[in-house]
Amino acid sequence: MSSQPKPCILFSKAEVEAAVKRLAEEIREDYHDKYPILIGILKGSFLFMADLIRLLNFPLEVEFIRLSSYGRGRESSGRIKVVQGLQTSVKGRHVLVIEDIVDTGLTINFLLDYLGNKKPASLKLCALTDKSSRRQIPVTIDYLGFSVPDKFIVGYGIDWDEKFRYLPDICALEDQDK
Ligand code: IMP
Ligand code: MG
């Protein structure tokens, strides 16, 4: 019988808070006078985006987009589609995409392509975590919180099969018997 995996802390709540503060400072510096649209990728980015935006304190718009890439397991299906699209035009606007984790890069590559075709004035990426060892396609992360090891990541909004989003820390799932 397989046991339930257990979350082990990689980055504590305090470390996450410090990283979000650092990212907010970088983003404020670059976007404070640009009235950007921040596009959060649902659902994993929702906590990160909320905390980040609270610290930005300059005029901006918020949008969400929902993609399907992962099924219910731990592996990406590689087939990506837009499940819930944008409610506004990004043409001529400064767009900053907010993602929870860049893994193979397939999802974000698809989305940046999709948004790029809509002719924004600029298009950049802010990712909370980067699992670069698994990359299948090159991705430029303009604002990065943490590099993470090749483990399944949960917490701070990030889930495993809808579980563990509520954890305040960024964790790696480990097998119980390890
Ligand atoms: P990619 O297309 O392989 O880069 O996968 C990107 C998406 O898969 C992310 O937006 C996450 O939603 C999900 N994902 C990838 N790795 C993990 C992980 O370790 N934990 C939870 N979700 C993940
Ligand atoms: Mg995601």
Side-chain angles (χ1 to χ4, degrees):
M1 199 182 83
S2 68
S3 56
Q4 273 286 318
K6 165 179 97 202
C8 298
I9 297 177
L10 284 178
F11 302 104
S12 69
K13 181 171 182 260
E15 288 172 297
V16 173
E17 272 171 18
V20 175
K21 191 159 173 260
R22 169 179 57 80
L23 291 172
E25 278 160 16
E26 292 173 22
I27 292 167
R28 193 177 329 113
E29 172 84 21
D30 296 347
Y31 286 93
H32 65 97
D33 55 355
K34 292 201 165 79
Y35 192 51
I37 303 183
L38 270 61
I39 302 180
I41 308 182
L42 292 172
K43 299 179 198 173
S45 70
F46 83 108
L47 277 183
F48 172 42
M49 186 152 171
D51 285 347
L52 185 68
I53 285 176
R54 264 188 281 245
L55 297 175
L56 290 180
N57 197 25
F58 64 77
L60 54 81
E61 287 182 29
V62 176
E63 279 288 328
F64 290 101
I65 201 162
R66 188 153 179 199
L67 307 170
S68 65
S69 63
Y70 269 56
R72 290 178 69 80
R74 294 195 201 182
E75 282 301 308
S76 175
S77 69
R79 291 184 304 272
I80 299 133
K81 60 177 195 210
V82 176
V83 182
Q84 182 190 317
L86 296 173
Q87 308 294 311
T88 193
S89 167
V90 297
K91 191 170 179 199
R93 299 291 302 274
H94 293 281
V95 172
L96 180 61
V97 174
I98 312 291
E99 175 62 309
D100 56 356
I101 179 160
V102 181
D103 184 19
T104 63
L106 295 171
T107 305
I108 202 66
N109 184 66
F110 167 87
L111 182 66
L112 292 176
D113 228 51
Y114 172 88
L115 293 172
N117 285 332
K118 298 184 185 295
K119 306 273 176 266
S122 69
L123 181 58
K124 285 190 176 183
L125 172 64
C126 170
L128 176 65
T129 63
D130 179 15
K131 210 194 288 179
S132 59
S133 56
R134 301 231 322 146
R135 202 71 96 248
Q136 288 179 22
I137 195 160
V139 174
T140 301
I141 302 176
D142 302 283
Y143 307 93
L144 174 66
F146 301 99
S147 293
V148 292
D150 184 6
K151 298 195 165 171
F152 203 84
I153 306 302
V154 294
Y156 195 56
I158 305 174
D159 75 310
W160 169 55
D161 199 9
E162 295 304 323
K163 298 176 188 75
F164 304 118
R165 286 193 205 276
Y166 62 90
L167 293 173
D169 318 286
I170 295 176
C171 304
L173 281 188
E174 305 282 2
D175 291 333
Q176 285 275 33
D177 37 23
K178 262 197 188 163

